């Protein structure tokens, strides 16, 4: 090719001398001209199309054939489009290009990327409470209600509320004295995780069965564990972005430029977006964007979205597994309801209080496993 270019240059110089000299002398080498013409005909008749599997390879060969001066680049006529390289070159040069393609044009390697999003929860709670009450039926049954205060003849009665005390002393009928109105303390254990507390009651009463002191103790302990595993996976070529997602679109209202409202949609999805890059050592560099959404609470005009997301770049060995991120949440609650003063009395104060304790742990871990695929059977 270089010889052809030099010959063309000699022809141009010779034509220039022909116009500048008054008495031109023979200057053209006939043998060289014939070789140039034969090579030109070869370029016209030897046209082949070389298929390249990657645009990058086609561009490299096109740049190689376009090296040299402008005339050489035009003679090469290298065209790169859609992984198809069309060349018009001599037979020897075409053989060189074919050898280059055989070495460089190898099948694109593919990578299977699997993500495992593990969400674990651990809840624990316990609650302890009491009910304390009493009743005096002596006044209702024709006797003296209440208790005497010395020699004065005055008496005092006890009751859970105003209705109970008026019924006990005979101010009203006995209908006002019930199990509810006779309670002094009503602090039962709270339900946890939809469960109802267990209870145990005891009553202390006189031999005539007209005076009562009632006590109910209720307690509940709840322990729960849960796990949710999501595993999106996708296959993609080396240095090619891939995306897979699954979820729901929730409608919500939004204002328009005219002041009216329109309906738009917001996604709550499980998404894996990844771009792999295979290193010469056989490891894999991953550009990752992992998203795990879930529906939240209903708000005015739409639904809130709970989002968990990790975006990072990591180097992983072929077939290896790595934890790319995690979120740990611990929520603890303690509450105590009691009767003032009486609830602070040691030991006996437990009869006048309610206590609840709750602990909730939530943890999310994201695992990534990339694996290079050697053949199509590995995908299946």
């Amino acid at each position: 090719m270089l010889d052809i270019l030099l010959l063309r240059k000699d022809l141009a110089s010779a034509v220039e001398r022909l116009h500048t000299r008054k008495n031109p002398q023979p200057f053209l080498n006939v043998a060289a001209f014939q070789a140039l013409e034969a090579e030109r005909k070869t370029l016209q008749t030897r046209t082949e199309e070389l298929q390249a599997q990657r645009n990058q390879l086609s561009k490299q060969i096109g740049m190689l054939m376009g090296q040299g001066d402008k005339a050489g680049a035009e003679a090469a006529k290298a065209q790169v489009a859609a992984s198809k390289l069309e060349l018009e070159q001599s037979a020897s040069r075409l053989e060189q290009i074919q050898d280059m393609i055989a070495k460089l044009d190898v099948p694109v390697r593919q990578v299977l990327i699997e993500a495992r999003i593990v969400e674990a929860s651990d809840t624990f709670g316990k609650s302890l409470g009491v009910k304390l009450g009493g009743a005096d039926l002596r006044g209702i049954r024709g006797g003296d209600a209440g208790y005497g205060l010395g020699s004065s003849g005055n008496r005092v009665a006890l009751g859970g509320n105003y209705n109970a005390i008026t019924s006990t002393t005979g101010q009203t009928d006995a209908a006002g004295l019930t199990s509810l109105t006779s309670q002094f303390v009503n602090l039962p254990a709270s339900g946890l995780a939809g469960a109802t507390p267990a209870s145990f009651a005891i009553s202390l009463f006189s031999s005539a069965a007209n005076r009562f002191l009632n006590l109910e103790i209720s307690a509940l302990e709840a322990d729960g564990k849960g796990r949710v595993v999501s595993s999106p996976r996708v296959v993609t070529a080396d240095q090619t972005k891939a995306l897979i997602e699954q979820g729901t679109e929730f409608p919500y209202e939004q204002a328009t430029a005219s002041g009216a409202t329109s309906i738009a949609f917001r996604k709550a999805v499980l998404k894996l977006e990844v771009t792999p890059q295979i290193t010469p050592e056989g490891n894999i560099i991953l550009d990752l964007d992992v998203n795990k959404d879930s529906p939240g609470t209903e708000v005015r005009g739409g639904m809130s979205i709970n989002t968990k997301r990790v975006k990072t770049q990591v180097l992983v060995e072929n077939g290896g597994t790595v934890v790319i991120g995690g979120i740990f949440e611990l929520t603890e609650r303690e509450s105590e309801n009691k009767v003032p003063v009486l609830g602070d009395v040691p030991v006996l104060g437990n009869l006048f209080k309610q206590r609840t304790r709750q602990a909730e742990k939530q943890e999310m871990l994201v695992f990534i496993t990339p694996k290079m695929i050697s053949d199509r059977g590995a995908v299946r």
Side-chain angles (χ1 to χ4, degrees):
M1 178 61 71
L2 182 59
D3 295 337
I4 297 173
L5 297 177
L6 291 175
L7 288 173
R8 289 177 176 174
K9 187 174 180 181
D10 291 341
L11 288 174
S13 300
V15 172
E16 183 179 359
R17 290 196 304 272
L18 179 62
H19 287 284
T20 56
R21 298 178 59 179
K22 294 182 179 179
N23 298 318
Q25 299 296 328
F27 56 87
L28 182 61
N29 188 324
V30 176
F33 178 78
Q34 292 176 348
L36 175 60
E37 184 66 16
E39 187 68 23
R40 185 182 64 82
K41 292 180 179 180
T42 303
L43 288 176
Q44 292 177 348
T45 57
R46 295 296 302 274
T47 302
E48 297 186 16
E49 295 183 0
L50 303 178
Q51 299 291 337
Q53 293 188 10
R54 281 190 282 185
N55 289 333
Q56 186 65 27
L57 177 61
S58 299
K59 293 178 182 179
Q60 290 178 357
I61 298 177
M63 293 173 60
L64 175 64
M65 298 307 302
Q67 291 178 355
D69 57 10
K70 182 177 180 180
E74 292 179 353
K77 294 184 180 179
Q79 179 182 3
V80 179
S83 296
K84 183 178 181 181
L85 183 64
E86 298 182 0
L87 299 174
E88 185 176 351
Q89 295 293 322
S90 64
S92 59
R93 181 55 63 90
L94 285 173
E95 292 178 0
Q96 295 177 3
I97 296 175
Q98 289 174 342
D99 293 339
M100 180 184 300
I101 292 177
K103 295 178 181 179
L104 301 180
D105 188 19
V106 296
V108 178
R109 291 179 290 182
Q110 298 186 93
V111 183
L112 169 65
I113 301 100
E114 178 182 2
R116 290 189 298 277
I117 305 171
V118 181
E119 296 175 282
S121 61
D122 186 356
T123 59
F124 174 80
K126 64 179 182 179
S127 180
L128 178 65
V130 297
K131 288 182 179 180
L132 181 64
D136 186 356
L137 304 180
R138 290 177 296 176
I140 298 175
R141 295 177 178 178
D144 295 330
Y147 302 90
L149 296 177
S151 59
S152 62
N154 296 326
R155 303 181 70 82
V156 62
L158 304 176
N161 58 22
Y162 188 85
N163 292 332
I165 201 66
T166 57
S167 297
T168 299
T169 58
Q171 302 175 55
T172 59
D173 57 22
L177 187 61
T178 64
S179 61
L180 294 178
T181 59
S182 63
Q183 294 176 1
F184 304 149
V185 179
N186 185 17
L187 296 173
S190 301
L192 299 173
T196 302
S199 59
F200 172 78
I202 186 172
S203 179
L204 179 64
F205 56 94
S206 64
S207 58
N210 52 19
R211 286 177 294 175
F212 302 86
L213 180 62
N214 305 319
L215 173 66
E216 178 188 277
I217 299 175
S218 57
L220 177 64
E221 183 173 303
D223 189 6
K225 298 184 186 323
R227 186 177 67 172
V228 178
V229 179
S230 306
S231 183
R233 62 185 67 184
V234 66
V235 177
T236 184
D238 183 24
Q239 301 185 34
T240 303
K241 180 184 291 186
L243 171 66
I244 183 171
E245 66 178 16
Q246 177 189 12
T248 306
E249 292 188 355
F250 293 95
Y252 68 96
E253 295 181 356
Q254 66 177 3
T256 61
S258 62
T261 59
S262 63
I263 300 298
F265 290 88
R266 180 178 302 166
K267 290 183 178 181
V269 297
L270 168 65
K271 183 183 75 171
L272 170 63
E273 183 176 331
V274 59
T275 304
Q277 179 181 350
I278 302 174
T279 65
E281 295 80 11
N283 298 325
I284 303 173
I285 299 175
L286 300 173
D287 285 322
L288 289 160
D289 189 354
V290 182
N291 201 65
K292 179 69 166 63
D293 299 336
S294 60
T297 58
E298 291 188 8
V299 296
R300 183 179 179 182
M303 174 79 71
S304 64
I305 305 297
N306 299 325
T307 301
K308 297 177 181 178
R309 181 184 182 188
V310 56
K311 185 176 182 180
T312 185
Q313 184 182 82
V314 64
L315 175 64
V316 190
E317 63 179 3
N318 181 30
T321 300
V322 64
V323 180
I324 64 171
I327 300 174
F328 177 78
E329 296 180 67
L330 173 61
T331 304
E332 293 182 332
R333 300 184 185 92
E334 289 190 17
S335 62
E336 182 178 86
N337 302 313
K338 62 183 178 181
V339 178
V341 182
L342 296 178
D344 296 328
V345 177
V347 183
L348 293 179
N350 293 322
L351 300 176
F352 302 93
K353 68 175 61 175
Q354 175 205 56
R355 290 179 296 181
T356 301
R357 179 186 175 188
Q358 291 179 284
E360 182 178 359
K361 299 177 183 178
Q362 290 185 339
E363 185 173 12
M364 183 188 77
L365 294 174
V366 182
F367 301 83
I368 291 293
T369 303
K371 182 180 179 181
M372 285 188 289
I373 299 175
S374 58
D375 52 34
R376 296 182 179 179
V379 180
R380 293 193 296 266

